[in-house]
Amino acid sequence: MSDVRIDLSLIADMVEPGSKVLDVGCGDGALLALLASRRHVDARGIELSREGVAGCVARGLSVIQGDADTDLGDYPDDAFDYVILSQTIQATRAPRRVLENMLRIGRRAIVSFPNFGHWNIRAQLAFKGRMPVTSNLPETWHDTPNIHFCTIRDFVGLCDTLGAVTERAVALNASGSDIGVKAPWWFWNLFGQQAVFLLRRTGPASPP
Amino acid sequence: MTAKTNRTGKASKAPASALVDPVREANEPTSLLARFGPERPLAMDCGVTLDRWQIAYQTYGTLNADRSNAVLVCHALTGDQHVANTNPVTGKSGWWEVLIGPGCPIDTDRYFVICSNVIGGCLGSTGPASLDQATGRAYGLNFPLVTIRDMVRAQAVLVEHLGIASLFAVIGGSMGGMQVLQWASSYPDRVFAAVPLATAARHSAQNIAFHEVGRQAVMADPDWQGGRYLDGAKRPSKGLSVARMGAHITYLSEAALHRKFGRNLQDREARTFTFDADFQVESYLRYQGISFVERFDANSYLYLTRAMDYFDLAADHGGVLAKAFAGSKTRFCVASFTSDWLFPTSDSRAIVHALNASGASVSFVELESDKGHDAFLLDEPELFATLRGFIGAAARARGLA
């Protein structure tokens, strides 16, 4: 399946076959379709855009129109085996609350995001003095839906704050290959263009 | 028009060339008819049991050998069983012919479609216009109050009567959507896929209020005669007509009314300084009112609006809507329309939240339309694409593809 985006393929590999999955911000349903066909999961999705939802439902996917910031609170604890947030956390209004909800309603959470600590982004800001525009993040500062960028280090910090355990973390370089497990965090943070984290909570789903 | 046959091969009567009498239609409908006696009584929520009752229905397409391709269509407040054939009373096309037929999203080449007149209705299923065997007169207000659950109970008996153990899909909008939700809640094992459109799990205070205005208009008409008008020749046409005019406004939107009529005058150059129908919108509403009374029984209107008012699915489950769908294996497709202020998107979202909380499989989309509540009955390509996708996927999951 060489036509499948590398980050989606990576996420699909993290998911146990036959599990129950919620993809938050599922867009046109590419990941859900991949998960359904390759991992035979019970795939559900939430998507903000009307066009995205209509397209997903027309493809036969179980997708509801909704908002990661407001609608995750309605799901009960442990409703899913995996809750996935693919390339969406930077567009949420309250990333911390979204991640808290994901860890509550899923036994595992998978988050992929563009790394704002990548050298190219650092260089654009440092040398041009302009907000970075890259092939990965092509919108200018006033057009972008991405309002909460973070670096890999920032994200690790948030996971620590929430007491989430990283079961697996992968950084992908600009060509989409895995940077490798041996590399130290600073190296990932500098050369990883995007990152994928598989997380689980340590405490109870909801505070008693 | 699709040939209609039931499993015994009996074809329903073709519509008469002249339009049929609605009063006669209430008892001897131009439809397939299932009659039930004391061996199959209908126990209703109000505590009354109907020992003799009947349900009029239409079918389209062919039931497959596994009896697994049946789709039940539930009609709205003033709809009827003539969903995809010429209506024998009005002579107009079926009310959902855009959706149901060969090659349509509900493809009658693939599915066996059933649509029945609701209990309490006036096109052949037992209701206030039916003959009360005990008195030899129309029931009128002696007919017991009907609920959405009673309608669904009656449909369940019909479906069983047709030898269908489980329905592939139950679909309907507005009051039809309420029946869909009730079906999924009452008979989860008999509903593979459920499509409640432009509906709510409970009728809002505002909607009850609108219904009450309509009922009061009917009852204020002296020709209503305490509901006994069918004993004579006069009908409460003025009252029912006003009720329909008021209700019709709630089915549209400001944008749709503006687009259709604006402030345009009706067949005149200037205002007449009278209470004549100067404006097109007035003339349109009057026409809607007048044409409605020719096909609908006033008492039926009272009963069916009441059934909607009483509907509150959560109340039957300790106030928790999610419990109505606990453990449901049914796959749901919920849709609302942006300009529908009678059953706004928030009502659909409440259903979706409950389904999520109960772990049910659900799709939901709010469709863009300026046509108001009536959008679910109209040619809305986005709705059709959504339904085509959902029904197609459900058919594959059921092994019907």
Side-chain angles (χ1 to χ4, degrees):
Chain A
M1 295 188 112
S2 54
D3 55 335
V4 173
R5 254 171 54 196
I6 182 85
D7 57 320
L8 300 190
S9 187
L10 193 64
I11 292 171
D13 289 342
M14 288 181 177
V15 170
E16 287 292 322
S19 50
K20 190 171 175 185
V21 177
L22 177 68
D23 183 5
V24 182
C26 62
D28 64 0
L31 177 60
L32 284 177
L34 179 69
L35 285 167
S37 68
R38 199 196 281 185
R39 310 300 272 178
H40 307 290
V41 304
D42 179 352
R44 314 281 176 87
I46 299 182
E47 169 58 29
L48 193 57
S49 81
R50 183 175 297 132
E51 299 73 29
V53 179
C56 286
V57 177
R59 292 169 77 158
L61 298 165
S62 286
V63 172
I64 67 165
Q65 195 173 7
D67 186 338
D69 278 302
T70 54
D71 292 339
L72 293 180
D74 297 314
Y75 290 91
D77 297 352
D78 289 327
F80 297 93
D81 296 311
Y82 299 88
V83 179
I84 299 171
L85 194 64
S86 167
Q87 308 289 332
T88 301
I89 195 166
Q90 75 282 357
T92 62
R93 287 190 294 283
R96 175 180 171 151
R97 204 173 57 228
V98 169
L99 189 56
E100 278 171 342
N101 264 321
M102 290 176 66
L103 291 162
R104 176 182 68 78
I105 66 181
R107 292 186 179 82
R108 300 277 189 287
I110 300 175
V111 183
S112 77
F113 58 93
N115 173 28
F116 218 64
H118 188 257
W119 66 266
N120 183 20
I121 286 175
R122 296 191 201 194
Q124 286 196 36
L125 198 55
F127 299 115
K128 289 189 186 165
R130 306 282 301 267
M131 281 299 281
V133 175
T134 68
S135 57
N136 205 25
L137 300 166
E139 289 110 341
T140 52
W141 68 273
H142 50 82
D143 276 340
T144 182
N146 301 322
I147 52 174
H148 281 125
F149 278 122
C150 67
T151 69
I152 291 177
R153 284 230 170 198
D154 289 329
F155 187 77
V156 170
L158 177 59
C159 291
D160 289 344
T161 306
L162 298 182
V165 176
T166 302
E167 293 198 334
R168 233 189 119 188
V170 180
L172 302 173
N173 65 21
S175 57
S177 4
D178 188 341
I179 286 179
V181 285
K182 291 278 159 53
W185 281 118
W186 68 263
F187 189 84
W188 280 31
N189 205 22
L190 197 54
F191 293 102
Q193 196 182 59
Q194 47 180 318
V196 185
F197 279 74
L198 173 63
L199 308 167
R200 77 177 151 77
R201 62 173 177 261
T202 43
S206 294
Chain B
M1 202 178 88
T2 316
K4 301 180 294 291
T5 54
N6 68 7
R7 70 196 176 91
T8 56
K10 184 185 134 199
S12 60
K13 285 169 256 176
S17 51
L19 299 180
V20 298
D21 170 21
V23 176
R24 195 186 128 82
E25 199 68 12
N27 290 290
E28 298 289 336
T30 320
S31 281
L32 297 170
L33 188 64
R35 284 200 168 93
F36 301 97
E39 79 290 346
R40 202 66 226 261
L42 186 67
M44 300 169 76
D45 278 339
C46 64
V48 174
T49 298
L50 287 182
D51 283 334
R52 294 196 176 277
W53 60 285
Q54 65 182 39
I55 187 162
Y57 64 102
Q58 295 289 100
T59 71
Y60 313 86
T62 312
L63 188 61
N64 64 8
D66 295 342
R67 299 172 180 276
S68 62
N69 69 336
V71 174
L72 179 70
V73 177
C74 302
H75 71 73
L77 176 64
T78 62
D80 51 45
Q81 67 272 34
H82 302 287
V83 60
N85 59 265
T86 304
N87 190 298
V89 179
T90 63
K92 291 183 179 164
S93 353
W95 55 270
W96 230 357
E97 279 193 15
V98 286
L99 191 73
I100 298 165
C104 291
I106 298 177
D107 188 348
T108 50
D109 289 338
R110 298 179 65 194
Y111 309 119
F112 177 65
V113 176
I114 308 160
C115 185
S116 63
N117 187 215
V118 294
I119 290 293
C122 53
L123 275 200
S125 293
T126 305
S130 306
L131 207 63
D132 180 358
Q133 305 282 346
T135 63
R137 302 191 303 171
Y139 275 105
L141 296 197
N142 291 332
F143 194 72
L145 253 285
V146 176
T147 63
I148 299 291
R149 187 156 63 177
D150 293 331
M151 296 174 188
V152 168
R153 280 191 185 111
Q155 289 161 357
V157 173
L158 171 67
V159 167
E160 211 177 291
H161 169 76
L162 295 174
I164 297 160
S166 127
L167 291 162
F168 164 53
V170 184
I171 176 168
S174 197
M175 187 182 89
M178 291 175 168
Q179 294 162 61
V180 173
L181 295 172
Q182 187 69 61
W183 258 100
S185 175
S186 293
Y187 309 103
D189 301 335
R190 296 196 224 169
V191 183
F192 188 78
V195 186
L197 304 172
T199 193
R202 65 173 184 198
H203 217 215
S204 69
Q206 177 173 266
N207 290 2
I208 295 170
F210 279 123
H211 275 175
E212 174 59 2
V213 172
R215 284 189 294 264
Q216 289 301 327
V218 170
M219 294 191 272
D221 188 329
D223 290 337
W224 180 61
Q225 303 162 59
R228 288 257 52 100
Y229 56 88
L230 283 176
D231 295 346
K234 287 188 172 171
R235 302 283 176 269
S237 303
K238 285 250 164 57
L240 184 59
S241 172
V242 170
R244 177 62 169 179
M245 288 167 74
H248 199 81
I249 301 168
T250 69
Y251 304 149
L252 305 175
S253 68
E254 207 281 328
L257 281 175
H258 181 76
R259 178 167 40 77
K260 261 181 156 165
F261 310 111
R263 291 181 50 84
N264 298 340
L265 298 180
Q266 177 72 23
D267 302 330
R268 61 202 70 192
E269 295 301 316
R271 295 168 296 173
T272 60
F273 292 91
T274 67
F275 294 109
D276 206 19
D278 276 358
F279 293 100
Q280 282 182 3
V281 66
E282 294 174 295
S283 168
Y284 168 78
L285 276 184
R286 288 185 188 188
Y287 170 77
Q288 290 298 329
I290 290 163
S291 56
F292 180 62
V293 302
E294 287 166 2
R295 70 175 176 91
F296 215 85
D297 176 60
N299 285 335
S300 237
Y301 192 77
L302 303 182
Y303 276 81
L304 299 186
T305 53
R306 203 69 183 138
M308 290 178 77
D309 294 351
Y310 277 7
F311 188 62
D312 183 352
L313 196 50
D316 300 337
H317 295 85
V320 182
L321 187 56
K323 286 187 186 162
F325 308 111
S328 178
K329 298 269 188 293
T330 304
R331 32 178 79 212
F332 291 81
C333 180
V334 180
S336 65
F337 296 90
T338 48
S339 56
D340 183 350
W341 54 279
L342 197 62
F343 289 89
T345 292
S346 54
D347 282 342
S348 285
R349 280 200 188 280
I351 297 167
V352 171
H353 288 163
L355 289 168
N356 281 334
S358 66
S361 166
V362 53
S363 293
F364 164 64
V365 63
E366 182 192 37
L367 301 161
E368 177 88 49
S369 167
D370 75 346
K371 295 185 183 123
H373 181 57
D374 263 355
F376 82 90
L377 294 167
L378 303 173
D379 189 4
E380 290 284 346
E382 255 194 293
L383 172 67
F384 296 165
T386 301
L387 292 181
R388 223 179 251 283
F390 175 78
I391 291 167
R396 286 193 293 280
R398 181 136 163 130
L400 290 175

